[in-house]
Amino acid sequence: KEFISLGCETGKAAFGKPFSEATFVARYLAPFHSIHGCVASLFAQTYLHERYIGGASANVAFKHAREHLGGAASFRRWDNGTMYTD
């Protein structure tokens, strides 16, 4: 299962690493810094569109969603305790 958090700083290791290591989590996406709700929502919408409507892999959808924000926020992808930024 994929989880997307839109809460500020929930992509940091203190939460992201142990949460992503849970057996019920396949992937965890979350912002690294404080984030405006509109920007967070745009990230989630873009990721979900790319992933489930566009048929992109999780890596490609994550990359496109980050690029779509134009540097307005920094999101992290956690897979089984490992953090990815691209």
Side-chain angles (χ1 to χ4, degrees), residues 9-56:
E9 300 181 9
T10 53
K12 291 189 175 182
F15 182 80
K17 182 175 175 52
F19 184 77
S20 70
E21 290 173 333
T23 58
F24 59 88
V25 178
R27 186 165 298 103
Y28 174 63
L29 312 173
F32 188 72
H33 299 293
S34 295
I35 189 167
H36 192 283
C38 293
V39 176
S41 177
L42 179 61
F43 173 86
Q45 290 173 46
T46 304
Y47 177 81
L48 293 171
H49 177 271
E50 291 277 332
R51 183 87 168 103
Y52 297 107
I53 295 175

